[in-house]
Amino acid sequence: MKPDELEAFAAEVNGRLDRGLGVRVGETALVSRRVHVIDPTRPYEAQVKCLADAGQVFYRRSVAGEVVHVDIFHSLADVSHYAIAQASRRAVDEFLQEARWASCASTALADFIDVQTATGGGRATGSLKYGRKSSLQTAHRGHVHLAALMPREAAGLLYYLVRDAEQVIQRQGAELRRLDRIVNDANPGGTPVDLSPYSCPTDSLLQEHAPPAKVTDDCAMMKDALDAAADFGSVSSLASFLECVAAARRRENPYALLEREYGDAEAMLARLRTLDILSGDGACLALTDKGRQMALFLRRFAREMETQMRKVIRRSGRPRITPLDKSDFTRGKVRGASVRESRTIMKAEDADFRGAVSVPGTIGEWAVRCSQQGRRGPIEPCDIRIEQAQRRARVDVCLLIDASASMAGKRIQAAKHLARYTFLTCRDRVSVLTFQDRVVTPHVIRARSHRALEQGLSRVRPAGLTPLAAGIVEAVRLLGASHHAPSMLVLLTDGIPTMNQWTGDPARDALTAAEQIAQNNIPFTCIGLAPNKGFLRRLTEIARGTLYIVEEFDRDVLAKLVKDERSRVQT
C-alpha cells in the first residue's frame, strides 16, 4: 500500500475508533477498541460493546482507548498461533518500512501485540506458551484474536496485521468467513458479558498490574465475581459472606465463618484482597469500594450470575492430579459399558420430534408393498419409517457423604461441589445423604431444581462422629424405593466408622451393612483417603464395588471419578 493510501486508511479507521465504534477491515476482520461479542447462532454478525473498553476489561488498564482489538473470522479450525505471531512480526516490519514510520523500533512495537487462536497464544515476541486453557481455545476456533497497544499514528499497521493473518489462515486450509454485519451496542443496561472462559495466565505487556481505582465495567465485575464465587462454591454463598462483612451488627465473625465453612480462611482472604474486595484482618475485615459495588452487583444480576456459575461448574472435572489407587471388585458384573442411546425403526405416526427418516427402512417398506400389489409406484406416506432414539432412563444417584467433624472445611466443600457437578451435567436424579453422630440426614432427595439442591447443601454442617453403618442402611433403603430404576451409590469418607449400629464394633457393623449393597445389586463407588485404605478395601470388596484412594478430596478429581463411574452404570 502506498504511503498516501496508508494515511487515508489510518484516518478512516481512527475516525471510527475515536467514536467508540467498530470498523470492518476487508471482509473478515472486525477492529475496535471495545469488547466484541459473537452469537454462535449468527456466525456472520458481530456485536461491539461500545461501553466496554477492551483495554480495561481484558488488561485492567486505567485509561480507556489505548488497546486496539482485532478479530479475524474463519471457518472452525485450529489455526497455529505460532504462525499468526510470526505473521504479526512480519507485518510490523513491513509497515515500518512502507510507512517510513520510525517513532519506535520494530521489536518494541511487536512487543505490544498479543495473539490468541484455538491452539494457544501470548505475546507475539514471547514464548507463546500461554492461552492453553481449554475454554479459551474453544472460544477461538472460529476466529483469530489480536490485541495491540499502539498510538493513533500507527493505525495503518492494522492493514498489514489483517492481511498477513488472513494469508496464514488460508495457507492452513481454513476458509475466511465474511463478516456481513457489525452491530454497535451502546446500551448501558442489559446482561453483562461472561468473560470467564477468557481468564488465563499471560506474558502480555499490555497488562496493568496496578488495580484501577474504581471498577465500573460490568464485564470486569462479572469476571471478578465468578473468580471469587468459585472458592465459595456458589454465588449465594459469596453474597451471604459479603453481607456478613458489611453488616453493622455482625451475628458472626467473618473470619470464623470462613474458617468453619471452608477450612483455609487465610488463603481465601488473600484471594479476596487480591481482587480488591476486602481490606483489614481478623475481626476488622471490611469491604472496599469495589467490594460494596460487587455486593450490589450480585443483587442486581443474581439470576445471570447463577447461570454463569453453573457454566463454570460444568466445565470442571478436568483434574491435574490422578487417584493414588483404584480397586475394582465388581467381579465382572455387567454395568453397561455403553451409554449410547438405542434406536428403533417405527411408523411415522408413532414417532416424535427426536426421530429422523430412515431411508433403508422406508425403501424396504415401499418394496414390500409394491411386491404385494404386483406393481411399482411412488413412495406413499404409509411407507415412511422413522429412526427413533430411545431416551435413556434417568439414574438415581445417591451421594452418601461423611459429615463428621474431620470433614469440615475444604473436604465438605469438595463434596458439595460434587453434588452440584453431578446435578448440572446429567439428567439423573441426585440425592444427598450425610451421616454424623447417630444421625443420617437426607438433605436432598432426587433433586428436581438447582434451588432445591442449594437449599439442601446449605444445611450440611460437619460435626461429631462417623456412623457409617447407619448411612449405608439408609442409602440402600432410599435406592431400593426407586421402583427398579437404575441406581448408583457413591460413598465419600475421610475416615473409618466410629459409631456403632448393631454391635459394639463400628467397623464390623459397617462391613455387615455393606452386604446389603451387594444383595441389592447396587453399583457402588467408594472414594477415600490413603490412611484408611485397608478398611475401605474390605468394605468395597464386600459391596462388590469400585474403590478409589486419593491423596485429598479435590473438586475436579471427585467430579471426574464419579463421571467415569456414572458412564459404567447400566441404563
Side-chain angles (χ1 to χ4, degrees), residues 135-163:
S135 60
L136 182 62
Q137 292 176 316
T138 301
H140 288 84
R141 289 209 70 217
H143 70 280
V144 169
H145 164 87
L146 300 175
L149 182 65
M150 62 173 67
R152 297 180 75 260
E153 296 80 7
L157 172 61
L158 295 170
Y159 166 78
Y160 296 96
L161 288 173
V162 172
R163 184 200 64 184

PDB file of all heavy atoms in Angstrom, residues 135-163:
ATOM      1  N   SER A 135     -11.268 -23.798  27.598  1.00  0.00           N
ATOM      2  CA  SER A 135     -12.400 -22.936  27.248  1.00  0.00           C
ATOM      3  C   SER A 135     -11.947 -21.770  26.381  1.00  0.00           C
ATOM      4  O   SER A 135     -12.672 -21.325  25.482  1.00  0.00           O
ATOM      5  CB  SER A 135     -13.072 -22.413  28.518  1.00  0.00           C
ATOM      6  OG  SER A 135     -12.158 -21.666  29.303  1.00  0.00           O
ATOM      7  N   LEU A 136     -10.730 -21.267  26.619  1.00  0.00           N
ATOM      8  CA  LEU A 136     -10.190 -20.168  25.816  1.00  0.00           C
ATOM      9  C   LEU A 136      -9.900 -20.636  24.396  1.00  0.00           C
ATOM     10  O   LEU A 136     -10.200 -19.939  23.420  1.00  0.00           O
ATOM     11  CB  LEU A 136      -8.918 -19.636  26.481  1.00  0.00           C
ATOM     12  CG  LEU A 136      -8.229 -18.445  25.819  1.00  0.00           C
ATOM     13  CD1 LEU A 136      -9.145 -17.239  25.803  1.00  0.00           C
ATOM     14  CD2 LEU A 136      -6.935 -18.107  26.547  1.00  0.00           C
ATOM     15  N   GLN A 137      -9.332 -21.828  24.258  1.00  0.00           N
ATOM     16  CA  GLN A 137      -9.041 -22.354  22.926  1.00  0.00           C
ATOM     17  C   GLN A 137     -10.324 -22.640  22.155  1.00  0.00           C
ATOM     18  O   GLN A 137     -10.422 -22.345  20.963  1.00  0.00           O
ATOM     19  CB  GLN A 137      -8.188 -23.622  23.053  1.00  0.00           C
ATOM     20  CG  GLN A 137      -6.785 -23.356  23.575  1.00  0.00           C
ATOM     21  CD  GLN A 137      -5.991 -24.634  23.773  1.00  0.00           C
ATOM     22  OE1 GLN A 137      -6.497 -25.621  24.296  1.00  0.00           O
ATOM     23  NE2 GLN A 137      -4.738 -24.626  23.356  1.00  0.00           N
ATOM     24  N   THR A 138     -11.310 -23.209  22.837  1.00  0.00           N
ATOM     25  CA  THR A 138     -12.590 -23.493  22.176  1.00  0.00           C
ATOM     26  C   THR A 138     -13.253 -22.215  21.684  1.00  0.00           C
ATOM     27  O   THR A 138     -13.835 -22.181  20.594  1.00  0.00           O
ATOM     28  CB  THR A 138     -13.524 -24.233  23.148  1.00  0.00           C
ATOM     29  OG1 THR A 138     -12.900 -25.451  23.562  1.00  0.00           O
ATOM     30  CG2 THR A 138     -14.856 -24.548  22.487  1.00  0.00           C
ATOM     31  N   ALA A 139     -13.165 -21.153  22.481  1.00  0.00           N
ATOM     32  CA  ALA A 139     -13.795 -19.880  22.113  1.00  0.00           C
ATOM     33  C   ALA A 139     -13.158 -19.251  20.883  1.00  0.00           C
ATOM     34  O   ALA A 139     -13.750 -18.368  20.256  1.00  0.00           O
ATOM     35  CB  ALA A 139     -13.731 -18.909  23.290  1.00  0.00           C
ATOM     36  N   HIS A 140     -11.936 -19.692  20.507  1.00  0.00           N
ATOM     37  CA  HIS A 140     -11.233 -19.087  19.373  1.00  0.00           C
ATOM     38  C   HIS A 140     -11.091 -20.044  18.193  1.00  0.00           C
ATOM     39  O   HIS A 140     -10.222 -19.844  17.347  1.00  0.00           O
ATOM     40  CB  HIS A 140      -9.846 -18.604  19.814  1.00  0.00           C
ATOM     41  CG  HIS A 140      -9.884 -17.388  20.687  1.00  0.00           C
ATOM     42  ND1 HIS A 140     -10.086 -17.461  22.047  1.00  0.00           N
ATOM     43  CD2 HIS A 140      -9.778 -16.061  20.401  1.00  0.00           C
ATOM     44  CE1 HIS A 140     -10.085 -16.244  22.558  1.00  0.00           C
ATOM     45  NE2 HIS A 140      -9.902 -15.377  21.586  1.00  0.00           N
ATOM     46  N   ARG A 141     -11.935 -21.052  18.119  1.00  0.00           N
ATOM     47  CA  ARG A 141     -11.864 -21.969  16.978  1.00  0.00           C
ATOM     48  C   ARG A 141     -12.386 -21.319  15.703  1.00  0.00           C
ATOM     49  O   ARG A 141     -12.098 -21.792  14.604  1.00  0.00           O
ATOM     50  CB  ARG A 141     -12.662 -23.246  17.256  1.00  0.00           C
ATOM     51  CG  ARG A 141     -12.020 -24.161  18.281  1.00  0.00           C
ATOM     52  CD  ARG A 141     -12.383 -25.603  18.021  1.00  0.00           C
ATOM     53  NE  ARG A 141     -11.734 -26.104  16.824  1.00  0.00           N
ATOM     54  CZ  ARG A 141     -12.296 -26.953  15.972  1.00  0.00           C
ATOM     55  NH1 ARG A 141     -13.528 -27.365  16.171  1.00  0.00           N
ATOM     56  NH2 ARG A 141     -11.652 -27.383  14.912  1.00  0.00           N
ATOM     57  N   GLY A 142     -13.151 -20.244  15.831  1.00  0.00           N
ATOM     58  CA  GLY A 142     -13.723 -19.607  14.653  1.00  0.00           C
ATOM     59  C   GLY A 142     -13.139 -18.254  14.318  1.00  0.00           C
ATOM     60  O   GLY A 142     -13.580 -17.615  13.360  1.00  0.00           O
ATOM     61  N   HIS A 143     -12.152 -17.806  15.083  1.00  0.00           N
ATOM     62  CA  HIS A 143     -11.543 -16.516  14.755  1.00  0.00           C
ATOM     63  C   HIS A 143     -10.162 -16.400  15.382  1.00  0.00           C
ATOM     64  O   HIS A 143      -9.844 -17.064  16.374  1.00  0.00           O
ATOM     65  CB  HIS A 143     -12.433 -15.353  15.213  1.00  0.00           C
ATOM     66  CG  HIS A 143     -12.511 -15.184  16.702  1.00  0.00           C
ATOM     67  ND1 HIS A 143     -13.328 -15.951  17.504  1.00  0.00           N
ATOM     68  CD2 HIS A 143     -11.867 -14.332  17.543  1.00  0.00           C
ATOM     69  CE1 HIS A 143     -13.204 -15.577  18.757  1.00  0.00           C
ATOM     70  NE2 HIS A 143     -12.317 -14.599  18.816  1.00  0.00           N
ATOM     71  N   VAL A 144      -9.348 -15.548  14.788  1.00  0.00           N
ATOM     72  CA  VAL A 144      -8.029 -15.198  15.313  1.00  0.00           C
ATOM     73  C   VAL A 144      -8.166 -13.877  16.061  1.00  0.00           C
ATOM     74  O   VAL A 144      -8.753 -12.921  15.547  1.00  0.00           O
ATOM     75  CB  VAL A 144      -6.995 -15.069  14.180  1.00  0.00           C
ATOM     76  CG1 VAL A 144      -5.701 -14.447  14.691  1.00  0.00           C
ATOM     77  CG2 VAL A 144      -6.723 -16.426  13.550  1.00  0.00           C
ATOM     78  N   HIS A 145      -7.635 -13.846  17.271  1.00  0.00           N
ATOM     79  CA  HIS A 145      -7.726 -12.644  18.111  1.00  0.00           C
ATOM     80  C   HIS A 145      -6.368 -11.957  18.176  1.00  0.00           C
ATOM     81  O   HIS A 145      -5.342 -12.595  18.421  1.00  0.00           O
ATOM     82  CB  HIS A 145      -8.182 -13.035  19.519  1.00  0.00           C
ATOM     83  CG  HIS A 145      -7.952 -11.972  20.549  1.00  0.00           C
ATOM     84  ND1 HIS A 145      -8.865 -10.973  20.799  1.00  0.00           N
ATOM     85  CD2 HIS A 145      -6.906 -11.752  21.397  1.00  0.00           C
ATOM     86  CE1 HIS A 145      -8.394 -10.185  21.752  1.00  0.00           C
ATOM     87  NE2 HIS A 145      -7.209 -10.635  22.128  1.00  0.00           N
ATOM     88  N   LEU A 146      -6.376 -10.653  17.957  1.00  0.00           N
ATOM     89  CA  LEU A 146      -5.182  -9.827  18.127  1.00  0.00           C
ATOM     90  C   LEU A 146      -5.541  -8.651  19.023  1.00  0.00           C
ATOM     91  O   LEU A 146      -6.648  -8.106  18.937  1.00  0.00           O
ATOM     92  CB  LEU A 146      -4.669  -9.298  16.786  1.00  0.00           C
ATOM     93  CG  LEU A 146      -4.265 -10.316  15.709  1.00  0.00           C
ATOM     94  CD1 LEU A 146      -3.898  -9.593  14.420  1.00  0.00           C
ATOM     95  CD2 LEU A 146      -3.107 -11.171  16.182  1.00  0.00           C
ATOM     96  N   ALA A 147      -4.617  -8.269  19.883  1.00  0.00           N
ATOM     97  CA  ALA A 147      -4.775  -7.062  20.700  1.00  0.00           C
ATOM     98  C   ALA A 147      -3.458  -6.307  20.640  1.00  0.00           C
ATOM     99  O   ALA A 147      -2.387  -6.907  20.798  1.00  0.00           O
ATOM    100  CB  ALA A 147      -5.139  -7.415  22.138  1.00  0.00           C
ATOM    101  N   ALA A 148      -3.531  -5.007  20.406  1.00  0.00           N
ATOM    102  CA  ALA A 148      -2.307  -4.229  20.217  1.00  0.00           C
ATOM    103  C   ALA A 148      -2.405  -2.900  20.948  1.00  0.00           C
ATOM    104  O   ALA A 148      -3.445  -2.240  20.928  1.00  0.00           O
ATOM    105  CB  ALA A 148      -2.053  -3.990  18.733  1.00  0.00           C
ATOM    106  N   LEU A 149      -1.322  -2.550  21.600  1.00  0.00           N
ATOM    107  CA  LEU A 149      -1.194  -1.234  22.229  1.00  0.00           C
ATOM    108  C   LEU A 149      -0.373  -0.375  21.280  1.00  0.00           C
ATOM    109  O   LEU A 149       0.833  -0.564  21.142  1.00  0.00           O
ATOM    110  CB  LEU A 149      -0.499  -1.367  23.586  1.00  0.00           C
ATOM    111  CG  LEU A 149      -0.321  -0.081  24.392  1.00  0.00           C
ATOM    112  CD1 LEU A 149      -1.673   0.489  24.794  1.00  0.00           C
ATOM    113  CD2 LEU A 149       0.534  -0.349  25.628  1.00  0.00           C
ATOM    114  N   MET A 150      -1.046   0.546  20.600  1.00  0.00           N
ATOM    115  CA  MET A 150      -0.360   1.333  19.572  1.00  0.00           C
ATOM    116  C   MET A 150      -0.881   2.764  19.577  1.00  0.00           C
ATOM    117  O   MET A 150      -2.045   3.016  19.907  1.00  0.00           O
ATOM    118  CB  MET A 150      -0.589   0.707  18.194  1.00  0.00           C
ATOM    119  CG  MET A 150      -2.049   0.669  17.761  1.00  0.00           C
ATOM    120  SD  MET A 150      -2.273   0.107  16.060  1.00  0.00           S
ATOM    121  CE  MET A 150      -1.757  -1.590  16.188  1.00  0.00           C
ATOM    122  N   PRO A 151      -0.046   3.707  19.200  1.00  0.00           N
ATOM    123  CA  PRO A 151      -0.511   5.095  19.083  1.00  0.00           C
ATOM    124  C   PRO A 151      -1.410   5.258  17.863  1.00  0.00           C
ATOM    125  O   PRO A 151      -1.415   4.429  16.954  1.00  0.00           O
ATOM    126  CB  PRO A 151       0.795   5.887  18.937  1.00  0.00           C
ATOM    127  CG  PRO A 151       1.771   4.909  18.381  1.00  0.00           C
ATOM    128  CD  PRO A 151       1.399   3.576  18.942  1.00  0.00           C
ATOM    129  N   ARG A 152      -2.167   6.330  17.829  1.00  0.00           N
ATOM    130  CA  ARG A 152      -3.074   6.579  16.710  1.00  0.00           C
ATOM    131  C   ARG A 152      -2.323   6.649  15.390  1.00  0.00           C
ATOM    132  O   ARG A 152      -2.834   6.246  14.346  1.00  0.00           O
ATOM    133  CB  ARG A 152      -3.845   7.885  16.931  1.00  0.00           C
ATOM    134  CG  ARG A 152      -4.748   7.878  18.143  1.00  0.00           C
ATOM    135  CD  ARG A 152      -5.484   9.202  18.325  1.00  0.00           C
ATOM    136  NE  ARG A 152      -6.567   9.344  17.359  1.00  0.00           N
ATOM    137  CZ  ARG A 152      -6.496  10.051  16.250  1.00  0.00           C
ATOM    138  NH1 ARG A 152      -5.367  10.677  15.938  1.00  0.00           N
ATOM    139  NH2 ARG A 152      -7.527  10.146  15.431  1.00  0.00           N
ATOM    140  N   GLU A 153      -1.093   7.158  15.433  1.00  0.00           N
ATOM    141  CA  GLU A 153      -0.331   7.324  14.195  1.00  0.00           C
ATOM    142  C   GLU A 153       0.023   5.990  13.546  1.00  0.00           C
ATOM    143  O   GLU A 153       0.373   5.947  12.362  1.00  0.00           O
ATOM    144  CB  GLU A 153       0.959   8.109  14.476  1.00  0.00           C
ATOM    145  CG  GLU A 153       0.741   9.536  14.957  1.00  0.00           C
ATOM    146  CD  GLU A 153       0.407   9.597  16.440  1.00  0.00           C
ATOM    147  OE1 GLU A 153       0.478   8.533  17.103  1.00  0.00           O
ATOM    148  OE2 GLU A 153       0.054  10.688  16.929  1.00  0.00           O
ATOM    149  N   ALA A 154      -0.052   4.907  14.321  1.00  0.00           N
ATOM    150  CA  ALA A 154       0.320   3.590  13.788  1.00  0.00           C
ATOM    151  C   ALA A 154      -0.890   2.787  13.344  1.00  0.00           C
ATOM    152  O   ALA A 154      -0.791   1.577  13.138  1.00  0.00           O
ATOM    153  CB  ALA A 154       1.105   2.812  14.838  1.00  0.00           C
ATOM    154  N   ALA A 155      -2.045   3.434  13.157  1.00  0.00           N
ATOM    155  CA  ALA A 155      -3.258   2.707  12.783  1.00  0.00           C
ATOM    156  C   ALA A 155      -3.112   1.989  11.449  1.00  0.00           C
ATOM    157  O   ALA A 155      -3.791   0.990  11.187  1.00  0.00           O
ATOM    158  CB  ALA A 155      -4.452   3.662  12.735  1.00  0.00           C
ATOM    159  N   GLY A 156      -2.227   2.466  10.580  1.00  0.00           N
ATOM    160  CA  GLY A 156      -2.008   1.795   9.304  1.00  0.00           C
ATOM    161  C   GLY A 156      -1.482   0.382   9.465  1.00  0.00           C
ATOM    162  O   GLY A 156      -1.629  -0.459   8.562  1.00  0.00           O
ATOM    163  N   LEU A 157      -0.873   0.076  10.613  1.00  0.00           N
ATOM    164  CA  LEU A 157      -0.374  -1.273  10.872  1.00  0.00           C
ATOM    165  C   LEU A 157      -1.499  -2.302  10.830  1.00  0.00           C
ATOM    166  O   LEU A 157      -1.269  -3.472  10.500  1.00  0.00           O
ATOM    167  CB  LEU A 157       0.327  -1.297  12.236  1.00  0.00           C
ATOM    168  CG  LEU A 157       0.759  -2.659  12.779  1.00  0.00           C
ATOM    169  CD1 LEU A 157       1.751  -3.328  11.836  1.00  0.00           C
ATOM    170  CD2 LEU A 157       1.361  -2.512  14.177  1.00  0.00           C
ATOM    171  N   LEU A 158      -2.717  -1.879  11.141  1.00  0.00           N
ATOM    172  CA  LEU A 158      -3.847  -2.815  11.166  1.00  0.00           C
ATOM    173  C   LEU A 158      -4.061  -3.466   9.800  1.00  0.00           C
ATOM    174  O   LEU A 158      -4.450  -4.635   9.719  1.00  0.00           O
ATOM    175  CB  LEU A 158      -5.117  -2.085  11.615  1.00  0.00           C
ATOM    176  CG  LEU A 158      -5.089  -1.548  13.054  1.00  0.00           C
ATOM    177  CD1 LEU A 158      -6.278  -0.633  13.303  1.00  0.00           C
ATOM    178  CD2 LEU A 158      -5.082  -2.706  14.040  1.00  0.00           C
ATOM    179  N   TYR A 159      -3.830  -2.726   8.737  1.00  0.00           N
ATOM    180  CA  TYR A 159      -3.987  -3.290   7.394  1.00  0.00           C
ATOM    181  C   TYR A 159      -3.047  -4.475   7.199  1.00  0.00           C
ATOM    182  O   TYR A 159      -3.455  -5.538   6.711  1.00  0.00           O
ATOM    183  CB  TYR A 159      -3.706  -2.210   6.343  1.00  0.00           C
ATOM    184  CG  TYR A 159      -3.504  -2.765   4.949  1.00  0.00           C
ATOM    185  CD1 TYR A 159      -4.586  -3.158   4.169  1.00  0.00           C
ATOM    186  CD2 TYR A 159      -2.216  -2.916   4.435  1.00  0.00           C
ATOM    187  CE1 TYR A 159      -4.390  -3.688   2.900  1.00  0.00           C
ATOM    188  CE2 TYR A 159      -2.009  -3.438   3.165  1.00  0.00           C
ATOM    189  CZ  TYR A 159      -3.101  -3.825   2.399  1.00  0.00           C
ATOM    190  OH  TYR A 159      -2.910  -4.358   1.150  1.00  0.00           O
ATOM    191  N   TYR A 160      -1.787  -4.320   7.596  1.00  0.00           N
ATOM    192  CA  TYR A 160      -0.801  -5.382   7.405  1.00  0.00           C
ATOM    193  C   TYR A 160      -1.069  -6.562   8.339  1.00  0.00           C
ATOM    194  O   TYR A 160      -0.890  -7.723   7.952  1.00  0.00           O
ATOM    195  CB  TYR A 160       0.610  -4.822   7.635  1.00  0.00           C
ATOM    196  CG  TYR A 160       1.003  -3.767   6.632  1.00  0.00           C
ATOM    197  CD1 TYR A 160       0.847  -2.419   6.911  1.00  0.00           C
ATOM    198  CD2 TYR A 160       1.516  -4.121   5.386  1.00  0.00           C
ATOM    199  CE1 TYR A 160       1.196  -1.444   5.997  1.00  0.00           C
ATOM    200  CE2 TYR A 160       1.876  -3.156   4.453  1.00  0.00           C
ATOM    201  CZ  TYR A 160       1.709  -1.818   4.762  1.00  0.00           C
ATOM    202  OH  TYR A 160       2.048  -0.860   3.841  1.00  0.00           O
ATOM    203  N   LEU A 161      -1.499  -6.270   9.570  1.00  0.00           N
ATOM    204  CA  LEU A 161      -1.802  -7.353  10.505  1.00  0.00           C
ATOM    205  C   LEU A 161      -2.930  -8.236   9.978  1.00  0.00           C
ATOM    206  O   LEU A 161      -2.844  -9.471  10.001  1.00  0.00           O
ATOM    207  CB  LEU A 161      -2.186  -6.777  11.872  1.00  0.00           C
ATOM    208  CG  LEU A 161      -1.066  -6.152  12.709  1.00  0.00           C
ATOM    209  CD1 LEU A 161      -1.647  -5.488  13.957  1.00  0.00           C
ATOM    210  CD2 LEU A 161      -0.038  -7.204  13.105  1.00  0.00           C
ATOM    211  N   VAL A 162      -3.997  -7.603   9.494  1.00  0.00           N
ATOM    212  CA  VAL A 162      -5.140  -8.365   8.985  1.00  0.00           C
ATOM    213  C   VAL A 162      -4.760  -9.123   7.720  1.00  0.00           C
ATOM    214  O   VAL A 162      -5.073 -10.310   7.562  1.00  0.00           O
ATOM    215  CB  VAL A 162      -6.333  -7.425   8.731  1.00  0.00           C
ATOM    216  CG1 VAL A 162      -7.456  -8.168   8.012  1.00  0.00           C
ATOM    217  CG2 VAL A 162      -6.843  -6.848  10.045  1.00  0.00           C
ATOM    218  N   ARG A 163      -4.074  -8.457   6.810  1.00  0.00           N
ATOM    219  CA  ARG A 163      -3.698  -9.100   5.542  1.00  0.00           C
ATOM    220  C   ARG A 163      -2.834 -10.333   5.775  1.00  0.00           C
ATOM    221  O   ARG A 163      -3.099 -11.413   5.223  1.00  0.00           O
ATOM    222  CB  ARG A 163      -2.952  -8.096   4.664  1.00  0.00           C
ATOM    223  CG  ARG A 163      -2.589  -8.624   3.277  1.00  0.00           C
ATOM    224  CD  ARG A 163      -1.473  -7.815   2.646  1.00  0.00           C
ATOM    225  NE  ARG A 163      -0.231  -7.928   3.418  1.00  0.00           N
ATOM    226  CZ  ARG A 163       0.881  -7.261   3.123  1.00  0.00           C
ATOM    227  NH1 ARG A 163       0.901  -6.413   2.111  1.00  0.00           N
ATOM    228  NH2 ARG A 163       1.968  -7.425   3.862  1.00  0.00           N
TER     229      ARG A 163
END
